[in-house]
Amino acid sequence: MKLSQTRWQTYKDNPADAEIPSHQLMLRAGLMHKSGAGLYNLLPFGLKVIKKIEKIVREEHDKAGCLEILMTVVTPGELWQESGRWQAMGGEMVKMKDKGGRDLCISPTNEEAVTDIFRRLIKSYKDLPVTYYQINTKFRDEIRPRFGLMRGREFIMKDAYSFHENKACLEKVYFQLYNVYCSILNRIGADYKVVEADAGAMASSDQKTHEFQVLANSGEDLLVYNDGYAANIEKAKTKRILADFDLKGGTPEKIATPNVGKIEEICQLLGVKPHLTLKTLALMGVKGGQARPVLVVLLGDDELNETKIKNLLNADHVLPATEAELESLKCVKGFIGPFGHPQEMHTVFDAAINLDAFYIVGANQKDFHLKNFRPSRDSKNYEVSDLRKTKEGDLALSNNLPIKITRGIEVGHIFQLGDKYTKSMGVTVLDKNGKGVVPLMGCYGIGVTRLAAAVIEQNHDEKGIVWPEAIAPFKVHAVLIGRTEEFRTKALNAYEEIRAHGIEILIDDRDVGPGFKFKDAELLGCPWQLTLGEREFGETGKFKLTNRKTGQATEISPENVAQEIERVTKQ
Ligand code: ATP
Ligand code: MG
């Protein structure tokens, strides 16, 4: 492609609202333009990258026997009514009415639509398993769209759905798709971890689900791992190493702590370690619009894992109690304790708490704490559950080894859904005895546009993007520097020869200075830069091929230039 004909434009400055490298670089390198919050138009070079990712995704799914379909982006509300998600989906799903007053939505995901396709086509166990997939636009009205393609509102996803007669078959296909995802990420050259994940509202929490996480400092997810264990922090099962609880204690004793409500301040005032205190959080678990209070008790230096309390309460979400709610519950902010509430409160102690040890807790009275509080003696009607957030240094429950924590970008998520959708939508197939059974489902999503951004997070330097060859807009970015007609013809002939050989090449034939051209080439970040420089050519009779990542340059002969490029780039 000749750059003079592409209308490509780059930008020197980072846009004010672009916080992370991939967002900045995709805009600056002219891969996309913003059209609105969480909305981006892909320009020619950006689209090339997306098409390459799609090709890899498609090839790997086809190889595994998945069937490509294309579902409508707008789906009828009736399907969502059937599954019960018309109400449950919340504000991320954009709903609308057509001119006849019928409900429609812009698909945020497609379990209902694909289940409808399935129930019309498949009647017998003999046609199972089957996996459908599509590469299509999704819309989610995200609470905080940000980071460009990383968390857009409109984005491209590959979503796949598998159907099975039984659990064993689901398990088998689930791991086939797991391997498809690994192959895709390996081909793209991503550095990633597969982690155990929380099923959220997609399935019940005992069904398997894994996330594919590209490792990057800008990642929104925290990953807990060691040799042999990896989980999203939301799901991680770990324990803390702790021995020195206060096991002697005594009788409860109220102590004055004027204006001292924070754990650190209490510890300083009384000269105790934070884990010898308990923090009590007053929260509201909200389900179906109904809010119920709960007291969560943690060791003083632990934090709450919000996913775990949400799952325990089976709530849609969990919020801190408001000032008014605290007042009606007779909880004094900063001094809440897990005992003696006038109204019976649902109380949950974190599993790391030694219930027979003695602690300092809030006294349920302004400016007072209680010493020698012993949960097993002084609290009533409580339950115990693992609710604390995993910390560096914890041991994984599965192998008792210390864990580390790192950041990741979730690019893929796979679930065993079970019969959630097939059951609610009344789907059956005939088993071998001619009896109707409800098929089981798996679903598998990979963010195509998010993946492009995630790859840039891992592959860039101060000059620009450093594309891995598999998804680079072009393999070679040629920079033509020369004024004479004779040299320009020679250079353009070389370009034609390379192109005819099937190597993807972009040539910068614009009428601008060399400095400008090199800067743009580095910003766009194609893996190989070919300098077609008149002066150098005059001195050496050679062109120069430079590796964008390593900076290593090789002189190549203009004879058989395409083969020369192949030889050098294969090394
Ligand atoms: P997240 O927790 O990041 O919101 P999710 O759990 O909502 O993701 P899924 O519903 O599992 O995501 O969707 C499958 C994949 O689609 C994700 O792994 C991600 O790669 C991509 N994806 C989801 N939401 C977005 C978005 N707003 N912008 C870009 N890609 C997205
Ligand atoms: Mg989401």
Side-chain angles (χ1 to χ4, degrees), residues 396-441:
L397 284 189
S398 65
N399 61 16
N400 233 20
L401 296 172
I403 55 89
K404 291 204 182 81
I405 299 180
T406 190
R407 287 196 165 270
I409 301 166
E410 180 207 312
V411 294
H413 198 166
I414 62 176
F415 297 87
Q416 296 188 357
L417 291 172
D419 63 5
K420 183 173 161 120
Y421 297 93
T422 40
K423 195 169 165 191
S424 59
M425 293 179 68
V427 185
T428 54
V429 292
L430 296 179
D431 70 6
K432 57 178 176 294
N433 305 315
K435 197 172 121 245
V437 292
V438 178
L440 304 179
M441 269 175 91

mmCIF file of all heavy atoms in Angstrom, residues 396-441:
data_model
loop_
_atom_site.group_PDB
_atom_site.id
_atom_site.type_symbol
_atom_site.label_atom_id
_atom_site.label_comp_id
_atom_site.label_asym_id
_atom_site.label_seq_id
_atom_site.Cartn_x
_atom_site.Cartn_y
_atom_site.Cartn_z
ATOM 1 N N ALA A 396 -1.954 -20.506 49.132
ATOM 2 C CA ALA A 396 -3.100 -21.025 48.366
ATOM 3 C C ALA A 396 -3.625 -22.258 49.081
ATOM 4 O O ALA A 396 -2.851 -23.107 49.510
ATOM 5 C CB ALA A 396 -2.665 -21.376 46.952
ATOM 6 N N LEU A 397 -4.943 -22.352 49.224
ATOM 7 C CA LEU A 397 -5.516 -23.508 49.920
ATOM 8 C C LEU A 397 -5.227 -24.796 49.158
ATOM 9 O O LEU A 397 -5.030 -25.846 49.754
ATOM 10 C CB LEU A 397 -7.035 -23.353 50.051
ATOM 11 C CG LEU A 397 -7.549 -22.378 51.109
ATOM 12 C CD1 LEU A 397 -9.051 -22.516 51.245
ATOM 13 C CD2 LEU A 397 -6.863 -22.600 52.452
ATOM 14 N N SER A 398 -5.176 -24.719 47.841
ATOM 15 C CA SER A 398 -5.045 -25.942 47.043
ATOM 16 C C SER A 398 -3.673 -26.579 47.173
ATOM 17 O O SER A 398 -3.553 -27.787 47.095
ATOM 18 C CB SER A 398 -5.346 -25.656 45.575
ATOM 19 O OG SER A 398 -4.371 -24.790 45.052
ATOM 20 N N ASN A 399 -2.610 -25.777 47.350
ATOM 21 C CA ASN A 399 -1.278 -26.409 47.417
ATOM 22 C C ASN A 399 -0.400 -25.883 48.555
ATOM 23 O O ASN A 399 0.770 -26.243 48.646
ATOM 24 C CB ASN A 399 -0.557 -26.270 46.065
ATOM 25 C CG ASN A 399 -0.323 -24.814 45.672
ATOM 26 O OD1 ASN A 399 -0.416 -23.907 46.509
ATOM 27 N ND2 ASN A 399 -0.019 -24.580 44.414
ATOM 28 N N ASN A 400 -0.965 -25.037 49.403
ATOM 29 C CA ASN A 400 -0.266 -24.563 50.601
ATOM 30 C C ASN A 400 1.030 -23.813 50.310
ATOM 31 O O ASN A 400 1.900 -23.718 51.167
ATOM 32 C CB ASN A 400 0.031 -25.761 51.508
ATOM 33 C CG ASN A 400 -0.483 -25.498 52.904
ATOM 34 O OD1 ASN A 400 -1.356 -24.629 53.108
ATOM 35 N ND2 ASN A 400 0.061 -26.200 53.882
ATOM 36 N N LEU A 401 1.161 -23.277 49.107
ATOM 37 C CA LEU A 401 2.362 -22.519 48.750
ATOM 38 C C LEU A 401 2.033 -21.034 48.740
ATOM 39 O O LEU A 401 0.891 -20.650 48.447
ATOM 40 C CB LEU A 401 2.859 -22.928 47.362
ATOM 41 C CG LEU A 401 3.332 -24.365 47.216
ATOM 42 C CD1 LEU A 401 3.617 -24.686 45.752
ATOM 43 C CD2 LEU A 401 4.581 -24.585 48.073
ATOM 44 N N PRO A 402 3.029 -20.174 49.039
ATOM 45 C CA PRO A 402 2.775 -18.729 49.027
ATOM 46 C C PRO A 402 2.351 -18.255 47.640
ATOM 47 O O PRO A 402 2.828 -18.784 46.636
ATOM 48 C CB PRO A 402 4.118 -18.110 49.402
ATOM 49 C CG PRO A 402 5.003 -19.209 49.801
ATOM 50 C CD PRO A 402 4.407 -20.509 49.377
ATOM 51 N N ILE A 403 1.484 -17.250 47.632
ATOM 52 C CA ILE A 403 1.006 -16.741 46.351
ATOM 53 C C ILE A 403 1.598 -15.360 46.087
ATOM 54 O O ILE A 403 2.079 -14.686 47.006
ATOM 55 C CB ILE A 403 -0.538 -16.638 46.305
ATOM 56 C CG1 ILE A 403 -1.089 -15.799 47.468
ATOM 57 C CG2 ILE A 403 -1.172 -18.008 46.324
ATOM 58 C CD1 ILE A 403 -1.212 -14.363 47.246
ATOM 59 N N LYS A 404 1.551 -14.986 44.817
ATOM 60 C CA LYS A 404 1.909 -13.620 44.419
ATOM 61 C C LYS A 404 0.669 -13.006 43.786
ATOM 62 O O LYS A 404 -0.261 -13.718 43.406
ATOM 63 C CB LYS A 404 3.018 -13.651 43.386
ATOM 64 C CG LYS A 404 4.350 -14.099 43.905
ATOM 65 C CD LYS A 404 5.423 -13.523 42.983
ATOM 66 C CE LYS A 404 6.809 -13.948 43.390
ATOM 67 N NZ LYS A 404 7.140 -15.287 42.917
ATOM 68 N N ILE A 405 0.701 -11.678 43.653
ATOM 69 C CA ILE A 405 -0.433 -10.998 43.017
ATOM 70 C C ILE A 405 0.096 -10.145 41.866
ATOM 71 O O ILE A 405 1.120 -9.474 42.009
ATOM 72 C CB ILE A 405 -1.184 -10.122 44.039
ATOM 73 C CG1 ILE A 405 -1.725 -11.012 45.169
ATOM 74 C CG2 ILE A 405 -2.321 -9.355 43.372
ATOM 75 C CD1 ILE A 405 -2.482 -10.277 46.254
ATOM 76 N N THR A 406 -0.576 -10.215 40.728
ATOM 77 C CA THR A 406 -0.170 -9.385 39.595
ATOM 78 C C THR A 406 -1.425 -8.854 38.895
ATOM 79 O O THR A 406 -2.529 -9.273 39.217
ATOM 80 C CB THR A 406 0.732 -10.192 38.630
ATOM 81 O OG1 THR A 406 1.288 -9.315 37.668
ATOM 82 C CG2 THR A 406 -0.050 -11.280 37.906
ATOM 83 N N ARG A 407 -1.225 -7.939 37.952
ATOM 84 C CA ARG A 407 -2.380 -7.346 37.269
ATOM 85 C C ARG A 407 -2.600 -7.956 35.895
ATOM 86 O O ARG A 407 -1.640 -8.293 35.207
ATOM 87 C CB ARG A 407 -2.184 -5.837 37.098
ATOM 88 C CG ARG A 407 -2.340 -5.086 38.373
ATOM 89 C CD ARG A 407 -2.528 -3.595 38.182
ATOM 90 N NE ARG A 407 -3.012 -3.059 39.445
ATOM 91 C CZ ARG A 407 -4.288 -2.957 39.765
ATOM 92 N NH1 ARG A 407 -5.214 -3.309 38.906
ATOM 93 N NH2 ARG A 407 -4.649 -2.511 40.947
ATOM 94 N N GLY A 408 -3.855 -8.064 35.505
ATOM 95 C CA GLY A 408 -4.160 -8.631 34.195
ATOM 96 C C GLY A 408 -5.333 -7.939 33.525
ATOM 97 O O GLY A 408 -6.145 -7.273 34.176
ATOM 98 N N ILE A 409 -5.387 -8.103 32.203
ATOM 99 C CA ILE A 409 -6.515 -7.620 31.395
ATOM 100 C C ILE A 409 -7.294 -8.851 30.957
ATOM 101 O O ILE A 409 -6.736 -9.720 30.269
ATOM 102 C CB ILE A 409 -6.009 -6.877 30.140
ATOM 103 C CG1 ILE A 409 -5.146 -5.686 30.531
ATOM 104 C CG2 ILE A 409 -7.175 -6.475 29.241
ATOM 105 C CD1 ILE A 409 -4.338 -5.103 29.361
ATOM 106 N N GLU A 410 -8.555 -8.935 31.340
ATOM 107 C CA GLU A 410 -9.363 -10.088 30.939
ATOM 108 C C GLU A 410 -9.698 -9.967 29.459
ATOM 109 O O GLU A 410 -10.475 -9.108 29.073
ATOM 110 C CB GLU A 410 -10.654 -10.126 31.772
ATOM 111 C CG GLU A 410 -11.541 -11.296 31.409
ATOM 112 C CD GLU A 410 -13.011 -11.036 31.686
ATOM 113 O OE1 GLU A 410 -13.354 -10.560 32.788
ATOM 114 O OE2 GLU A 410 -13.817 -11.309 30.777
ATOM 115 N N VAL A 411 -9.098 -10.845 28.650
ATOM 116 C CA VAL A 411 -9.431 -10.808 27.223
ATOM 117 C C VAL A 411 -10.420 -11.901 26.846
ATOM 118 O O VAL A 411 -11.099 -11.811 25.820
ATOM 119 C CB VAL A 411 -8.185 -10.880 26.313
ATOM 120 C CG1 VAL A 411 -7.328 -9.636 26.475
ATOM 121 C CG2 VAL A 411 -7.373 -12.133 26.561
ATOM 122 N N GLY A 412 -10.483 -12.954 27.660
ATOM 123 C CA GLY A 412 -11.427 -14.026 27.349
ATOM 124 C C GLY A 412 -12.020 -14.589 28.619
ATOM 125 O O GLY A 412 -11.416 -14.499 29.699
ATOM 126 N N HIS A 413 -13.241 -15.123 28.498
ATOM 127 C CA HIS A 413 -13.903 -15.694 29.672
ATOM 128 C C HIS A 413 -14.757 -16.857 29.188
ATOM 129 O O HIS A 413 -15.565 -16.698 28.272
ATOM 130 C CB HIS A 413 -14.767 -14.618 30.344
ATOM 131 C CG HIS A 413 -15.126 -14.950 31.756
ATOM 132 N ND1 HIS A 413 -15.638 -14.050 32.639
ATOM 133 C CD2 HIS A 413 -15.036 -16.120 32.442
ATOM 134 C CE1 HIS A 413 -15.843 -14.630 33.812
ATOM 135 N NE2 HIS A 413 -15.494 -15.890 33.709
ATOM 136 N N ILE A 414 -14.561 -18.025 29.781
ATOM 137 C CA ILE A 414 -15.356 -19.195 29.377
ATOM 138 C C ILE A 414 -16.117 -19.732 30.596
ATOM 139 O O ILE A 414 -15.619 -19.669 31.727
ATOM 140 C CB ILE A 414 -14.469 -20.283 28.720
ATOM 141 C CG1 ILE A 414 -13.403 -20.818 29.685
ATOM 142 C CG2 ILE A 414 -13.793 -19.728 27.461
ATOM 143 C CD1 ILE A 414 -12.580 -21.969 29.104
ATOM 144 N N PHE A 415 -17.329 -20.201 30.354
ATOM 145 C CA PHE A 415 -18.220 -20.641 31.437
ATOM 146 C C PHE A 415 -18.850 -21.990 31.135
ATOM 147 O O PHE A 415 -19.226 -22.246 29.987
ATOM 148 C CB PHE A 415 -19.445 -19.715 31.561
ATOM 149 C CG PHE A 415 -19.190 -18.303 31.908
ATOM 150 C CD1 PHE A 415 -18.927 -17.380 30.921
ATOM 151 C CD2 PHE A 415 -19.277 -17.874 33.227
ATOM 152 C CE1 PHE A 415 -18.734 -16.038 31.234
ATOM 153 C CE2 PHE A 415 -19.099 -16.539 33.541
ATOM 154 C CZ PHE A 415 -18.821 -15.623 32.548
ATOM 155 N N GLN A 416 -19.049 -22.780 32.162
ATOM 156 C CA GLN A 416 -19.995 -23.896 32.054
ATOM 157 C C GLN A 416 -21.310 -23.355 32.593
ATOM 158 O O GLN A 416 -21.410 -23.019 33.766
ATOM 159 C CB GLN A 416 -19.509 -25.082 32.890
ATOM 160 C CG GLN A 416 -18.190 -25.644 32.391
ATOM 161 C CD GLN A 416 -17.788 -26.933 33.080
ATOM 162 O OE1 GLN A 416 -18.447 -27.413 33.991
ATOM 163 N NE2 GLN A 416 -16.685 -27.500 32.622
ATOM 164 N N LEU A 417 -22.280 -23.243 31.721
ATOM 165 C CA LEU A 417 -23.535 -22.599 32.129
ATOM 166 C C LEU A 417 -24.539 -23.574 32.727
ATOM 167 O O LEU A 417 -25.485 -23.164 33.405
ATOM 168 C CB LEU A 417 -24.207 -21.945 30.915
ATOM 169 C CG LEU A 417 -23.517 -20.730 30.315
ATOM 170 C CD1 LEU A 417 -24.215 -20.348 29.016
ATOM 171 C CD2 LEU A 417 -23.563 -19.568 31.286
ATOM 172 N N GLY A 418 -24.396 -24.854 32.401
ATOM 173 C CA GLY A 418 -25.405 -25.813 32.848
ATOM 174 C C GLY A 418 -26.712 -25.595 32.093
ATOM 175 O O GLY A 418 -26.714 -25.233 30.912
ATOM 176 N N ASP A 419 -27.842 -25.727 32.806
ATOM 177 C CA ASP A 419 -29.136 -25.686 32.100
ATOM 178 C C ASP A 419 -29.867 -24.354 32.294
ATOM 179 O O ASP A 419 -31.058 -24.243 32.047
ATOM 180 C CB ASP A 419 -30.025 -26.855 32.546
ATOM 181 C CG ASP A 419 -30.366 -26.774 34.021
ATOM 182 O OD1 ASP A 419 -29.996 -25.765 34.683
ATOM 183 O OD2 ASP A 419 -31.005 -27.714 34.533
ATOM 184 N N LYS A 420 -29.126 -23.323 32.750
ATOM 185 C CA LYS A 420 -29.766 -22.045 33.067
ATOM 186 C C LYS A 420 -30.667 -21.527 31.929
ATOM 187 O O LYS A 420 -31.800 -21.121 32.149
ATOM 188 C CB LYS A 420 -28.681 -21.022 33.402
ATOM 189 C CG LYS A 420 -29.202 -19.669 33.811
ATOM 190 C CD LYS A 420 -28.058 -18.772 34.279
ATOM 191 C CE LYS A 420 -28.498 -17.332 34.247
ATOM 192 N NZ LYS A 420 -28.474 -16.638 35.500
ATOM 193 N N TYR A 421 -30.155 -21.528 30.715
ATOM 194 C CA TYR A 421 -30.935 -20.960 29.603
ATOM 195 C C TYR A 421 -31.840 -21.995 28.949
ATOM 196 O O TYR A 421 -32.976 -21.691 28.580
ATOM 197 C CB TYR A 421 -30.002 -20.307 28.575
ATOM 198 C CG TYR A 421 -29.274 -19.159 29.218
ATOM 199 C CD1 TYR A 421 -28.022 -19.337 29.797
ATOM 200 C CD2 TYR A 421 -29.890 -17.917 29.346
ATOM 201 C CE1 TYR A 421 -27.386 -18.305 30.464
ATOM 202 C CE2 TYR A 421 -29.264 -16.878 30.012
ATOM 203 C CZ TYR A 421 -28.016 -17.087 30.566
ATOM 204 O OH TYR A 421 -27.404 -16.068 31.228
ATOM 205 N N THR A 422 -31.323 -23.209 28.781
ATOM 206 C CA THR A 422 -32.141 -24.243 28.129
ATOM 207 C C THR A 422 -33.377 -24.547 28.973
ATOM 208 O O THR A 422 -34.462 -24.749 28.443
ATOM 209 C CB THR A 422 -31.299 -25.516 27.897
ATOM 210 O OG1 THR A 422 -30.467 -25.735 29.039
ATOM 211 C CG2 THR A 422 -30.437 -25.371 26.665
ATOM 212 N N LYS A 423 -33.207 -24.539 30.294
ATOM 213 C CA LYS A 423 -34.336 -24.843 31.170
ATOM 214 C C LYS A 423 -35.356 -23.696 31.148
ATOM 215 O O LYS A 423 -36.548 -23.919 30.931
ATOM 216 C CB LYS A 423 -33.820 -25.056 32.591
ATOM 217 C CG LYS A 423 -34.813 -25.707 33.513
ATOM 218 C CD LYS A 423 -34.099 -26.116 34.787
ATOM 219 C CE LYS A 423 -35.082 -26.439 35.881
ATOM 220 N NZ LYS A 423 -34.367 -26.582 37.153
ATOM 221 N N SER A 424 -34.853 -22.477 31.332
ATOM 222 C CA SER A 424 -35.799 -21.356 31.394
ATOM 223 C C SER A 424 -36.496 -21.142 30.054
ATOM 224 O O SER A 424 -37.613 -20.646 30.003
ATOM 225 C CB SER A 424 -35.090 -20.082 31.847
ATOM 226 O OG SER A 424 -34.049 -19.759 30.952
ATOM 227 N N MET A 425 -35.847 -21.543 28.970
ATOM 228 C CA MET A 425 -36.464 -21.347 27.659
ATOM 229 C C MET A 425 -37.135 -22.617 27.142
ATOM 230 O O MET A 425 -37.503 -22.705 25.958
ATOM 231 C CB MET A 425 -35.421 -20.810 26.663
ATOM 232 C CG MET A 425 -34.965 -19.395 27.036
ATOM 233 S SD MET A 425 -33.711 -18.704 25.945
ATOM 234 C CE MET A 425 -34.624 -18.494 24.424
ATOM 235 N N GLY A 426 -37.289 -23.589 28.042
ATOM 236 C CA GLY A 426 -38.079 -24.786 27.740
ATOM 237 C C GLY A 426 -37.526 -25.658 26.621
ATOM 238 O O GLY A 426 -38.278 -26.187 25.809
ATOM 239 N N VAL A 427 -36.199 -25.821 26.576
ATOM 240 C CA VAL A 427 -35.594 -26.611 25.497
ATOM 241 C C VAL A 427 -35.394 -28.058 25.952
ATOM 242 O O VAL A 427 -34.878 -28.298 27.050
ATOM 243 C CB VAL A 427 -34.211 -26.027 25.108
ATOM 244 C CG1 VAL A 427 -33.639 -26.767 23.911
ATOM 245 C CG2 VAL A 427 -34.325 -24.546 24.824
ATOM 246 N N THR A 428 -35.769 -29.018 25.122
ATOM 247 C CA THR A 428 -35.422 -30.421 25.385
ATOM 248 C C THR A 428 -34.954 -31.072 24.088
ATOM 249 O O THR A 428 -35.295 -30.622 22.993
ATOM 250 C CB THR A 428 -36.620 -31.248 25.916
ATOM 251 O OG1 THR A 428 -37.705 -31.101 25.000
ATOM 252 C CG2 THR A 428 -37.057 -30.814 27.301
ATOM 253 N N VAL A 429 -34.159 -32.124 24.249
ATOM 254 C CA VAL A 429 -33.830 -32.989 23.108
ATOM 255 C C VAL A 429 -34.148 -34.418 23.546
ATOM 256 O O VAL A 429 -34.229 -34.696 24.752
ATOM 257 C CB VAL A 429 -32.332 -32.904 22.704
ATOM 258 C CG1 VAL A 429 -32.001 -31.554 22.118
ATOM 259 C CG2 VAL A 429 -31.429 -33.217 23.894
ATOM 260 N N LEU A 430 -34.332 -35.296 22.578
ATOM 261 C CA LEU A 430 -34.635 -36.690 22.927
ATOM 262 C C LEU A 430 -33.341 -37.443 23.185
ATOM 263 O O LEU A 430 -32.400 -37.367 22.390
ATOM 264 C CB LEU A 430 -35.406 -37.350 21.784
ATOM 265 C CG LEU A 430 -36.792 -36.738 21.515
ATOM 266 C CD1 LEU A 430 -37.466 -37.445 20.349
ATOM 267 C CD2 LEU A 430 -37.670 -36.785 22.764
ATOM 268 N N ASP A 431 -33.274 -38.162 24.323
ATOM 269 C CA ASP A 431 -32.088 -38.980 24.587
ATOM 270 C C ASP A 431 -32.266 -40.338 23.907
ATOM 271 O O ASP A 431 -33.249 -40.555 23.192
ATOM 272 C CB ASP A 431 -31.817 -39.101 26.092
ATOM 273 C CG ASP A 431 -32.847 -39.954 26.824
ATOM 274 O OD1 ASP A 431 -33.715 -40.554 26.145
ATOM 275 O OD2 ASP A 431 -32.790 -40.004 28.058
ATOM 276 N N LYS A 432 -31.322 -41.263 24.155
ATOM 277 C CA LYS A 432 -31.371 -42.487 23.340
ATOM 278 C C LYS A 432 -32.554 -43.384 23.690
ATOM 279 O O LYS A 432 -32.898 -44.295 22.957
ATOM 280 C CB LYS A 432 -30.042 -43.246 23.391
ATOM 281 C CG LYS A 432 -29.551 -43.661 24.751
ATOM 282 C CD LYS A 432 -28.247 -44.451 24.556
ATOM 283 C CE LYS A 432 -27.632 -44.826 25.871
ATOM 284 N NZ LYS A 432 -27.154 -43.650 26.643
ATOM 285 N N ASN A 433 -33.204 -43.099 24.810
ATOM 286 C CA ASN A 433 -34.415 -43.862 25.144
ATOM 287 C C ASN A 433 -35.687 -43.146 24.693
ATOM 288 O O ASN A 433 -36.796 -43.525 25.076
ATOM 289 C CB ASN A 433 -34.483 -44.097 26.660
ATOM 290 C CG ASN A 433 -33.219 -44.777 27.162
ATOM 291 O OD1 ASN A 433 -32.745 -45.724 26.544
ATOM 292 N ND2 ASN A 433 -32.655 -44.260 28.252
ATOM 293 N N GLY A 434 -35.485 -42.087 23.924
ATOM 294 C CA GLY A 434 -36.652 -41.352 23.423
ATOM 295 C C GLY A 434 -37.295 -40.456 24.466
ATOM 296 O O GLY A 434 -38.415 -39.988 24.310
ATOM 297 N N LYS A 435 -36.537 -40.192 25.536
ATOM 298 C CA LYS A 435 -37.055 -39.344 26.604
ATOM 299 C C LYS A 435 -36.508 -37.912 26.441
ATOM 300 O O LYS A 435 -35.342 -37.730 26.077
ATOM 301 C CB LYS A 435 -36.571 -39.927 27.942
ATOM 302 C CG LYS A 435 -37.341 -39.418 29.141
ATOM 303 C CD LYS A 435 -36.934 -40.191 30.403
ATOM 304 C CE LYS A 435 -36.387 -39.255 31.429
ATOM 305 N NZ LYS A 435 -35.045 -39.337 31.843
ATOM 306 N N GLY A 436 -37.337 -36.926 26.720
ATOM 307 C CA GLY A 436 -36.882 -35.538 26.590
ATOM 308 C C GLY A 436 -35.950 -35.148 27.738
ATOM 309 O O GLY A 436 -36.293 -35.352 28.899
ATOM 310 N N VAL A 437 -34.770 -34.649 27.406
ATOM 311 C CA VAL A 437 -33.855 -34.151 28.457
ATOM 312 C C VAL A 437 -33.465 -32.707 28.134
ATOM 313 O O VAL A 437 -33.455 -32.298 26.966
ATOM 314 C CB VAL A 437 -32.573 -35.001 28.577
ATOM 315 C CG1 VAL A 437 -32.878 -36.388 29.119
ATOM 316 C CG2 VAL A 437 -31.834 -35.094 27.254
ATOM 317 N N VAL A 438 -33.149 -31.957 29.201
ATOM 318 C CA VAL A 438 -32.744 -30.555 29.016
ATOM 319 C C VAL A 438 -31.243 -30.516 28.733
ATOM 320 O O VAL A 438 -30.452 -30.964 29.556
ATOM 321 C CB VAL A 438 -33.065 -29.731 30.285
ATOM 322 C CG1 VAL A 438 -32.612 -28.288 30.112
ATOM 323 C CG2 VAL A 438 -34.550 -29.795 30.603
ATOM 324 N N PRO A 439 -30.844 -30.025 27.570
ATOM 325 C CA PRO A 439 -29.412 -29.989 27.270
ATOM 326 C C PRO A 439 -28.653 -28.977 28.139
ATOM 327 O O PRO A 439 -29.253 -28.028 28.645
ATOM 328 C CB PRO A 439 -29.359 -29.598 25.801
ATOM 329 C CG PRO A 439 -30.679 -29.034 25.466
ATOM 330 C CD PRO A 439 -31.666 -29.515 26.474
ATOM 331 N N LEU A 440 -27.349 -29.208 28.292
ATOM 332 C CA LEU A 440 -26.488 -28.292 29.061
ATOM 333 C C LEU A 440 -25.718 -27.404 28.092
ATOM 334 O O LEU A 440 -25.482 -27.777 26.949
ATOM 335 C CB LEU A 440 -25.501 -29.089 29.910
ATOM 336 C CG LEU A 440 -26.116 -30.107 30.876
ATOM 337 C CD1 LEU A 440 -25.023 -30.845 31.642
ATOM 338 C CD2 LEU A 440 -27.070 -29.404 31.846
ATOM 339 N N MET A 441 -25.307 -26.249 28.599
ATOM 340 C CA MET A 441 -24.622 -25.275 27.735
ATOM 341 C C MET A 441 -23.290 -24.820 28.307
ATOM 342 O O MET A 441 -23.104 -24.804 29.519
ATOM 343 C CB MET A 441 -25.488 -24.012 27.616
ATOM 344 C CG MET A 441 -26.459 -23.994 26.480
ATOM 345 S SD MET A 441 -27.466 -22.487 26.603
ATOM 346 C CE MET A 441 -26.488 -21.348 25.616
#
